[in-house]
Each structure stands twice: as C-alpha cells, then as structure tokens.
Amino acid sequence: MSANAWSQSDLDAALQINVSGTRDDGQGFLSPNKVLAGDELQNKLGNTLGSTLANELGVSATGYGSGASRPVIRGLEGARVQILQNGLSVGDVSSVSPDHAVANPMQNTHQIEILRGAAALMYGSGSSGGLVNVLNDRIVTTLPDALSGAMNVSYETANQGKTGNIELDAPAGPFALHLDSTISNSNNYQIPGYAEQGGPNANWEINPGKPVNVPYSGKLPFSFSNQNSLGIGASYIRNDGYTGTSLERMNHNYGIPTAEGGFIQQSQNRYDLAHQTNNPFDGFSSLKVSAANTNYQHTEFTNNGIASTQWNNTATEARLELAHKQWLGSKGVIGAQVTGATLNAIDLATNNYAIVPQTKSNASALFLVEEGRYGDLKTSLGARYSYAAQNPNSATQFPSPSSQGIPSTYGPPSIQNRQFNLFSYSAGGIYDFVKGYGLGLAYTVSQRAPTPQELYSYGPHDSTATFDIGNSNLGTETSHNIELSFQKTLGNLRSKVSLYRNQFSNYIYGFYTGSYSTVDNFSVVQASQANANIRGAEGELSYNWNQAGIGSRIFGDVSQGTFNAGGNLPLQPAPRLGAEMAYQRNGWLSSATYIYSYQQNRLANWEIGPTPSYNLVNANLSYTERIGKINWTGYLALKNLLNQDIRYATSPMAVRLYAPQPGRSLMVGVRAAF
C-alpha cells in the first residue's frame, strides 16, 4: 500500500488529468487508456509494477518471485512495452529479461497511466503493446500552503512482509521541497502445494540430460525481496510555471526462484530536471522541457552466493514539448526527444567475457500528436520520426562456441554498427452516434529497432536456462494495429468493448534451435525474425463504478499470437473472465474481485504445458477517519483467498514450472495523511 491517502474529490480530479498535465472530459484519445489513482491504486498497489497492473483489462504480468514482475499488454512484453517514470524512460534493463526488476519503487506512486495509439507516440515509437507511465510527483508543480505528507506501515502474512514509507512536501518561500523514502522487506513466501507444477513427481526436463526435481512445499526458496529508496526534490514555483529538480537512490536485493535458485542485487541513481512555462507565446498553452540521467547496475548471483553476471546501463534523455491551443478544431503537442545510453553485460564466471558488448545507443526523434472535436466526432492523429543507432565496442572478444559447449554453427554475432530510420503514425476517431454512445476506429503503425541484446548478445542466462545468441543482421520490426471499439460513457451503467488485430512484419523473438550447451545444458536460443499477428478482444460492463454506494463490474480479455507460417507465439497470456463488487460510504471502502483464468494450451512448440487454470479471489476493506488535522486509514487486504496454484503463461518455463505465485495472504496496515 502507498502512503498517500486521497479524498474522493482528489480521485475525481486525478482521473481527469492526462499525460500533458491538462484537464479534459477523460474521453480524449490523448488521455491515458487507463488511469490508476486514489483508492483504486491503493487497493491494487503491489511491490512491483507488474503485480500492480496484472489484473487490469488487457494487461497481465510476468512473475519472478516477489522482486521482478513486468506488465504484459495484449500479449506483448519486453521492449514492446515501454516503462516511464514521470514521462521519461525508467533507464533500467527490465525489458531485456523478465527476471530483471523494474527500477521504479512503487510505494510512493501517485498515479499509473497506460497509453496506446497516438498518446504513446509522444514517448516512443516501439511500444506496439502500449506504454506505462508511473508518476510520483517528486518535482512539485504547485506551491503547497503548508507542510503536508503521508506515512504508511503494513504487514503481510504470506512472506512476513514489512513495509514503511513516508512522504513530505513543504513550502520555503517560492520553493516547494519534497522528500520520500521507502523500506520494504519480505521473506520467502508461502505457496499452495508444491513448487513444481504437477507436484514432486512431475520431474520436468526443460533441457535433455538435466532433469530437475524440486519437491519444495511451504516456503518457496529464493522468493524474497528487500528494497529501499530515497527521493528528494526541489521546485521553484512561478505564476507562469515551475522549474524543478530531483534525485533518487534505489537499492533492491531479490531472489530468483528457479530450480537452481539465485538472487540479484540491483541499484540505481536517477537525476531529473523539469521546467514548464505556461502560455509562452500567442497560440501556445505550454512549453515543457524535461531531462533525466540514470546510472543503473545489477549483479546476478548463484544460489551459493557466487557473482555470475553483471549488467550496467547509463542513460540520458531530454525532451521538449510545445502544446498549442485549439486551431481549426484541433489541439495538440509538437516535440523533440534525444536519448543516449551505454549498456554492457559481463559473465563474471568466465574470465569477464562480454554477454552483451558495451554498446552505445543514440536516438533522436520528432513527434506531433493532435486531438480534435468536430461535432459528434472526436479525432486523433499522431506521427513520430526517430533515428536510432547502435554502436558496439569493436574490440569485444567473445568466447568460442567450443568453450561454451555449443555446436560450432552457433558462433557469436558480428560486431557491426547499425542505424535505423523509424516512422510511426496513428489515426483514429470516435463517433458519438447517440449522446453517451460511441463507436471508435483506430489504426496505428509502430516501428521498433532491435535492442543491443537482440543484436549482439552471446552467453548463458541462468534465470531463463538459455544460451542467448544475438543476430546483428536483424531488421526493423513493424506493427500494424487496427482496433474497433464501442463505449457507453454516461449513466450508472457503462461499458466498453474493443476488438483488435496486430500484424507484425519482422517480429523479433528468441528461436529455440533444439541444441543445448553441454556446459550448463541450457537451450541455445537465437534471435530471429518472422511475420506474426496477435488477435484479441477485451470488454467490461460496470454499474455505478467509482461512486458512493454499491458498484459492480464484469470484465474479460483474450488475446492469441501466432506466426503467419504456423505455430503460436511464446509467452501468451491465458483468456480471463472476472467480476468485481465494491461498496463506498461514510469512510468505508470495501471490494471483492473474482478472476477465472483459463488453461493456456496454445503454446509455442518449445514450451511445456499446458499452464493450469485458476480461480483468483481478492478482497479489500478500509476505513478512514479524520482526527484533528490527520486522515487516518486502517486497511486490510486478502489476496488469493482460495489458496490457488497460480502460474502465469507469460513467464518463461524456467520459473513457471518451479515457482507459483504466493498462496493465501492477509495484509494489514495503517496510513496517515495530513
């Protein structure tokens, strides 16, 4: 749970804030596809971004114990789902592999936005699945009247998890000062039944010659997570805007609950700068400049504490956004963005050979997004041009295939510089054929350049039990997405339904070659490309939702990816159906959610399955009372009430077959806001 307590008026306002900081009716295409804020965010907030969003419509998650979980949107993950912090890249390496945690402490989060289509093109061209923006308001944009803040403490039974966090904002003349800090420690968590899917006699053999039997029950080894963070910020507030800066230090030590086990020690320093001037010129509503610098590192350890791999990433990003007022019925944002990053990964166990050579990535982009209203028709347009370059260290020395125990035909990728010209665009509209009823159609083309690890990697990856080989000849991946939607937005009874098809040219994926490393018995996986498509549907029907009294909603989503030449895409989420009830009145807030996840048996030909179905029941209860100048909230949350064996089809086999999600758990806590 976060430390921030929100009133109902705060929540209503938050739900109308879009990513550009303006307010509208909440129905615009440039508004987030989904906003989590206020009480809804409090009830869903987990220790990771993936666990927080895992049950949102069209969103699932990966799951590596308590420490690492990343959102999967409409069957797409990794580099296709960009993660931002306050509108700028989070700067970690979580897109490389699902065992790498998102370097974004969740406990002081104020708002989470999910964007697709034209709105996503403001921030990147490769987010064919979508984009997630996490807001923490560390750079305060309005001057507080007096010292304000929030505190929170909580305890969770399944993992003896203890969390405490604090947040303070204070005025100092024309300056606004901010402080936040979080400490979260959890032990190995309790699981229902056995760690191994199918019980202790399943004896899964992911790689021939290396059967693994893990008859663990009770506590799941290497499922712990310990994290602490400190953030400070200062802003100069003017009548026409603000200028602010912030810094953050984050440390995270968490386990990797595969059959062999291990853990990761992660750290990051982040520095942010933001400036905004309102009404800078005639015809323009705001000028915004923002920048961030991150220095990220993590070290992977074996189950006996020996350092095996080290990852480093330093990144700098700067953005300029100029928002114009309405012109010919349309308003929008024109902007520019530049990014520079240096990534490398070293295998510490084999003479410091590079797994990913030191690679300098540079990108520059121009973008334009527009939103218009013409009677009953609302339109959106977006375009983004990006130039991206990958420049690996030409002096990199890879180990020979024989020293890695793999066939000589799987030699290392060539070290060559690559440049890409990317053009992405989006067009869509919603027609209100009757007041409160709308039909929408949107078409988005998104282009993505291959990442350094997809181009140049060469080495073992313990957490996925694979030997990864890059392909420096990979081309641009292009996504063509068309979506048809219906929505009812007025009255107590509301609904929305979407049907979509996402066609990929040169879809980048890891091809399991059928060969294995004789050193580790890891599968040899080669970065490859093929044409593919994902089809899906999602919808919900709600009654009196987010209002006082009783509210309810039913929802469901399904997506399935296939290669055009035949066969299923890997790591696809299972179809789901769900129902939710909530009650809110006089300080009381309660809710209960039921989700049925179907068995996933449409797997890639190298995946072991099927992934079992499950019934997930969660419940929340809280009561808020104002005593003096402090709002006190006591809360409890029941998770996985039926103690189900839950395994995500979106997680690689190395963790899915040996590490279920936590069993039944009770969280209790107290928040105070003043």
Side-chain angles (χ1 to χ4, degrees), residues 497-512:
V497 178
S498 295
L499 303 173
Y500 60 89
R501 184 176 188 270
N502 206 345
Q503 180 68 50
F504 286 89
S505 299
N506 293 326
Y507 181 89
I508 301 172
Y509 71 103
F511 173 69
Y512 279 63

Side-chain angles (χ1 to χ4, degrees), residues 494-573:
R494 303 189 180 195
S495 63
K496 60 181 178 181
V497 178
S498 295
L499 303 173
Y500 60 89
R501 184 176 188 270
N502 206 345
Q503 180 68 50
F504 286 89
S505 299
N506 293 326
Y507 181 89
I508 301 172
Y509 71 103
F511 173 69
Y512 279 63
T513 64
S515 297
Y516 300 87
S517 162
T518 59
V519 174
D520 301 298
N521 286 99
F522 288 171
S523 297
V524 176
V525 177
Q526 173 81 57
S528 304
Q529 289 187 298
N531 294 337
N533 69 84
I534 296 178
R535 297 178 176 89
E538 57 195 37
E540 68 175 3
L541 177 67
S542 65
Y543 175 76
N544 198 43
W545 198 245
N546 283 333
Q547 305 298 322
I550 295 177
S552 61
R553 61 188 286 260
I554 56 175
F555 53 92
D557 54 35
V558 59
S559 69
Q560 184 59 46
T562 57
F563 292 107
N564 290 8
N568 297 309
L569 295 184
L571 305 177
Q572 292 295 289

